Amino acid sequence: MNRLREVTEAVIAALSWLLMLVVAPVARWRRAVPETPWVISGHRGRIYEDNAGALHAYVCGNTSQRIIWISGSEAVTDALQSAGHATLRRGTFAARWAIMCAPVIIYSHGEDDLDAALILLRGRTGLRIYLNHSQNHIKAGEYFTTHYESLTGLQKRLFEWRVTNFDYLLASSERERANFALSYPHLADRILLGGGAHCDHFLQHRDEPPGRSLYYFPTFRDTAAGRDALDGVLQTLVRSERLREWLVEERLTLHLGAHINAGHQAGTVAPPFVIFPVSRLKEGIFDCQAFISDYSGLLADFLPFDRPTIFFPFDRDDYLRFRRLYLPYDDFAHGPVVTSADELIDLLVSNRWRDLAPWAERRQFWRSEIFPTMDPVYAAATYRTIAALVSARQVG
């Protein structure tokens, strides 16, 4: 039955996109109408926590620009519709028609944030704006990978066709723009300053006192072996009586972040350990006394908070067999680095992590590199950049 439903949905999708191509001239006319809404999504519409969500919130709350969120989650749909925002379900005829008509389509991970078939319509849509989901200062991707460099012939051409494409990619700083240029060297002239909408979230909350939590947010592992290694780390943490006793004594909770692509791998846990869903990511950041991660862009996002950061690349050597970093890991680390669950436990229970003094100079360096201003103006800048690009295209 599931297989039949999948085939039926695929056939309907193909037919709906064929119909879109037939009526494409009408869609092009609609794009020129000023009232036609933009469309936007991130993480395939499943969460509302990244650059796309931040920009959408700014546009809806501060401008007259109409904009539609393409949703892949009932929870996100319900929340946005309750707030009075226009949403359409990803993969529906209505969503595809809105995409075809939109003068601007915006995504934070790739074109398939909006629709799985959008890659087939390059050159037939409005202005394509790629925001990236978070800061881009640690792990590299796309063309700046050992995987891409190992490809030849048809494999390489197929990779180049499938990789995220855009008319413009928006960066929040010169450092980030240079990083993006390494990942997209063939599109470097389309990488512009004027991004980082989600930075405002962190800047607006940086002076609030933290709660009684620590937040461990591991990034997604690309291989089964990597995911097994992460599972082992999580199991070691939640089964450690030493860590549990220390957390209880300190009246702290350890939030274990769940990546959107992996869920959580810690099994059933009990306080003082809590599985923290990605839909509450910002809450986890705002509340925590210390942030623990490995290669996540959130390590850069957390810099505005004058709180401890713990770097935990427990599988660095294996990770770097498949990934590449923009710079040596230790050059970016602006807090203690630990490489095993036992080392992390030792660091936590010793309370050495609370001392920010050894890292003050490096934290200040990276803060100034990553945040051109510490004022929450990035969402407004993102909107102005896109609006200027739309105006320039219309004049042209």
Side-chain angles (χ1 to χ4, degrees):
M1 184 63 69
N2 287 338
R3 180 58 179 167
L4 177 60
R5 184 173 66 250
E6 290 174 0
V7 172
T8 302
E9 289 175 350
V11 170
I12 292 172
L15 292 174
S16 69
W17 276 118
L18 285 174
L19 178 58
M20 294 299 171
L21 294 177
V22 171
V23 297
V26 178
R28 283 196 297 271
W29 172 79
R30 287 283 301 161
R31 278 176 224 150
V33 177
E35 293 77 20
T36 303
W38 298 358
V39 296
I40 186 169
S41 192
H43 281 283
R44 298 179 183 174
R46 294 174 292 171
I47 61 172
Y48 193 72
E49 294 288 303
D50 63 4
N51 262 319
L55 177 60
H56 177 266
Y58 176 83
V59 171
C60 292
N62 298 276
T63 79
S64 60
Q65 174 62 53
R66 295 176 63 202
I67 191 166
I68 298 172
W69 180 269
I70 304 299
S71 181
S73 159
E74 288 186 11
V76 173
T77 298
D78 291 345
L80 292 180
Q81 289 183 346
S82 296
H85 302 314
T87 68
L88 292 171
R89 185 162 62 88
R90 182 176 179 270
T92 62
F93 182 89
R96 288 166 176 155
W97 178 241
I99 291 167
M100 286 294 292
C101 294
V104 182
I105 61 174
I106 306 167
Y107 39 92
S108 69
H109 278 68
E111 294 138 295
D112 64 348
D113 279 350
L114 298 166
D115 193 280
L118 199 54
I119 190 174
L120 301 174
L121 296 176
R122 290 172 180 170
R124 296 178 181 271
T125 68
L127 194 70
R128 298 169 303 154
I129 303 294
Y130 180 29
L131 300 178
N132 200 51
H133 56 290
S134 69
Q135 297 263 27
N136 187 49
H137 295 284
I138 305 176
K139 58 182 179 181
E142 313 300 21
Y143 288 76
F144 192 53
T145 61
T146 53
H147 171 68
Y148 173 70
E149 292 170 357
S150 71
L151 300 178
T152 58
L154 183 59
Q155 285 182 322
K156 197 167 193 175
R157 302 290 83 76
L158 181 61
F159 177 93
E160 292 169 348
W161 176 72
R162 291 178 58 191
V163 76
T164 299
N165 200 281
F166 50 84
D167 293 314
Y168 294 99
L169 166 56
L170 305 187
S172 58
S173 65
E174 288 288 359
R175 165 77 67 163
E176 187 175 45
R177 180 160 68 172
N179 291 342
F180 279 133
L182 291 173
S183 290
Y184 298 98
H186 61 305
L187 298 173
D189 60 332
R190 300 185 190 178
I191 303 171
L192 309 178
L193 290 179
H198 77 296
C199 294
D200 289 0
H201 294 314
F202 306 105
L203 294 168
Q204 289 164 346
H205 291 267
R206 63 191 174 114
D207 294 326
E208 296 177 1
R212 305 296 308 174
S213 68
L214 309 175
Y215 189 21
Y216 174 35
F217 184 84
T219 48
F220 179 68
R221 265 55 184 183
D222 298 289
T223 66
R227 293 188 286 274
D228 288 343
L230 174 57
D231 179 66
V233 164
L234 292 169
Q235 294 297 331
T236 299
L237 294 177
V238 300
R239 292 175 180 175
S240 170
E241 284 302 315
R242 185 178 175 217
L243 178 58
R244 179 183 298 275
E245 290 172 2
W246 174 80
L247 289 167
V248 171
E249 181 180 334
E250 296 288 325
R251 295 184 298 112
L252 290 171
T253 298
L254 178 56
H255 290 159
L256 304 171
H259 194 281
I260 186 65
N261 291 328
H264 70 82
Q265 297 166 278
T268 302
V269 303
F273 303 98
V274 174
I275 299 298
F276 217 65
V278 71
S279 61
R280 298 174 62 192
L281 188 151
K282 292 196 294 288
E283 178 188 341
I285 291 287
F286 301 158
D287 184 73
C288 71
Q289 294 190 15
F291 181 62
I292 308 162
S293 192
D294 36 43
Y295 318 102
S296 172
L298 290 167
L299 288 163
D301 293 329
F302 193 64
L303 271 166
F305 297 87
D306 196 23
R307 304 178 198 170
T309 305
I310 299 171
F311 291 77
F312 185 26
F314 62 85
D315 59 349
R316 189 190 321 188
D317 290 342
D318 287 336
Y319 190 83
L320 292 180
R321 293 177 186 173
F322 300 95
R323 287 277 195 166
R324 177 175 283 169
L325 306 182
Y326 287 117
L327 75 174
Y329 191 87
D330 292 332
D331 288 356
F332 182 75
H334 42 270
V337 178
V338 292
T339 57
S340 71
D342 289 336
E343 282 186 35
L344 176 60
I345 294 169
D346 288 341
L347 177 67
L348 291 175
V349 302
S350 73
N351 283 307
R352 296 192 312 272
W353 57 274
R354 297 183 186 274
D355 184 9
L356 286 171
W359 314 100
E361 185 175 342
R362 186 173 292 182
R363 287 171 63 84
Q364 180 54 40
F365 169 79
W366 283 112
R367 192 179 288 127
S368 62
E369 282 284 298
I370 289 171
F371 292 91
T373 176
M374 297 297 285
D375 296 324
V377 298
Y378 293 87
T382 303
Y383 171 72
R384 288 196 304 269
T385 301
I386 297 171
L389 291 169
V390 173
S391 295
R393 170 173 277 202
Q394 290 171 345
V395 171

